[in-house]
């Protein structure tokens, strides 16, 4: 009976799409969130929340943790995110933790698919919009105040993202992680700056 309880508890905070089984790493994240729910004042906030996946990536010789959460819950997560991230980073020996909402990208309608698909593709499901939203989730609580796109000579593009100067002390040490995570999720290059002034 004990084993069944243990199994339940490690996967209690994770619900993967299509009923897939969480891997060991995802279970460890789920377990950590469950422990926070049981042993901290985040209990009420975390009670309704769960994650849909988690993975580790390399960032300049260190590891970062990307946690995917259901899209309808991202706002609720953001209310406690600063605190939750701090607690999880303690538990996972200082690895940077980022939260991203799970979003679906719908393919661009083609002539062939138009007949089949009567519904218009919502703007929020376009590749561009989903990538923009990932960027916003990543940088939270810092707000994006500007964006410039530079086309390099080799045809690649670099996105320069300007973040709110007021949040510089909160997120500055993580911008390398943000760039690596964004590259991993979207294949796009991005750098971050904190402009002194905004027109």
């Amino acid at each position: 009976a004990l084993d069944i309880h243990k199994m339940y508890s490690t996967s209690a905070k994770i619900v993967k799409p299509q009923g897939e089984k969480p891997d060991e790493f995802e279970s460890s994240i789920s377990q950590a969130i469950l422990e926070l729910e049981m042993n901290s004042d985040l209990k009420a906030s975390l009670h309704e929340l769960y994650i849909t996946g988690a993975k580790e990536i390399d960032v300049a010789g260190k590891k970062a943790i990307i946690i995917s959460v259901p899209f309808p819950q991202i706002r609720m997560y953001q209310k406690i995110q600063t605190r939750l991230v701090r607690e999880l980073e303690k538990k996972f020996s200082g690895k940077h933790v980022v939260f991203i909402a799970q979003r679906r990208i719908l393919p661009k309608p083609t002539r062939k698919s138009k007949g089949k698909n009567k519904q218009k593709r919502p703007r929020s499901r376009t590749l561009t919009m989903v990538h923009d939203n990932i960027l916003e989730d990543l940088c939270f609580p810092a707000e994006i105040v500007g964006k410039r796109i530079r086309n390099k000579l080799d045809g690649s593009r670099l996105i320069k993202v300007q973040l709110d100067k007021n949040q510089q002390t909160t997120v500055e040490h993580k911008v390398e992680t943000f760039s690596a995570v964004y590259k991993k999720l979207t294949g796009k290059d991005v750098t971050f700056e904190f402009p002194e002034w905004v027109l």
Side-chain angles (χ1 to χ4, degrees):
L2 198 70
D3 279 345
I4 292 172
H5 177 67
K6 192 164 183 291
M7 252 173 63
Y8 170 73
S9 67
T10 53
S11 59
K13 297 305 283 181
I14 180 163
V15 180
K16 286 188 67 101
Q18 279 94 45
E20 293 165 44
K21 281 209 164 7
D23 61 31
E24 210 170 310
F25 180 68
E26 289 174 323
S27 296
S28 71
I29 297 287
S30 165
Q31 178 68 30
I33 293 174
L34 187 69
E35 282 166 15
L36 284 174
E37 184 185 321
M38 293 167 116
N39 308 319
S40 77
D41 55 0
L42 291 170
K43 186 183 175 82
S45 312
L46 281 172
H47 182 62
E48 298 294 319
L49 302 177
Y50 59 89
I51 65 170
T52 55
K55 55 175 171 265
E56 246 183 337
I57 67 157
D58 282 303
V59 180
K62 297 193 292 282
K63 293 254 189 261
I65 298 170
I66 308 172
I67 300 177
S68 314
V69 303
F71 175 67
Q73 294 187 0
I74 188 75
R75 293 281 168 264
M76 288 150 82
Y77 266 105
Q78 286 177 345
K79 285 181 185 156
I80 54 165
Q81 190 165 315
T82 312
R83 171 82 197 285
L84 186 57
V85 163
R86 202 168 49 231
E87 296 296 336
L88 287 171
E89 288 179 350
K90 267 191 254 170
K91 278 184 184 286
F92 290 92
S93 50
K95 291 173 186 171
H96 287 170
V97 173
V98 295
F99 281 88
I100 306 280
Q102 182 101 34
R103 293 183 176 87
R104 266 184 67 207
I105 297 171
L106 293 180
K108 216 175 192 160
T110 57
R111 281 222 175 100
K112 276 189 191 138
S113 69
K114 265 187 185 147
K116 285 199 303 252
N117 215 342
K118 292 279 183 280
Q119 239 178 349
K120 193 175 177 328
R121 179 175 67 147
R123 173 145 164 66
S124 63
R125 296 280 170 80
T126 60
L127 180 86
T128 313
M129 195 69 173
V130 169
H131 285 183
D132 283 353
N133 290 335
I134 287 174
L135 203 51
E136 284 168 17
D137 291 352
L138 250 186
C139 301
F140 185 87
E143 225 172 298
I144 296 172
V145 293
K147 221 187 273 179
R148 299 218 169 97
I149 295 173
R150 279 196 27 214
N151 291 310
K152 293 199 210 150
L153 291 171
D154 62 2
S156 63
R157 300 169 93 188
L158 174 69
I159 306 165
K160 282 188 145 183
V161 175
Q162 298 170 328
L163 295 176
D164 180 6
K165 187 101 178 110
N166 296 331
Q167 292 291 341
Q168 186 164 357
T169 47
T170 321
V171 297
E172 192 172 26
H173 62 291
K174 285 194 170 174
V175 291
E176 205 176 351
T177 299
F178 295 165
S179 297
V181 171
Y182 195 66
K183 176 81 173 169
K184 170 90 178 157
L185 296 176
T186 67
K188 293 177 178 172
D189 291 309
V190 63
T191 60
F192 295 91
E193 52 193 21
F194 299 88
E196 286 295 336
W197 48 269
V198 179
L199 271 178

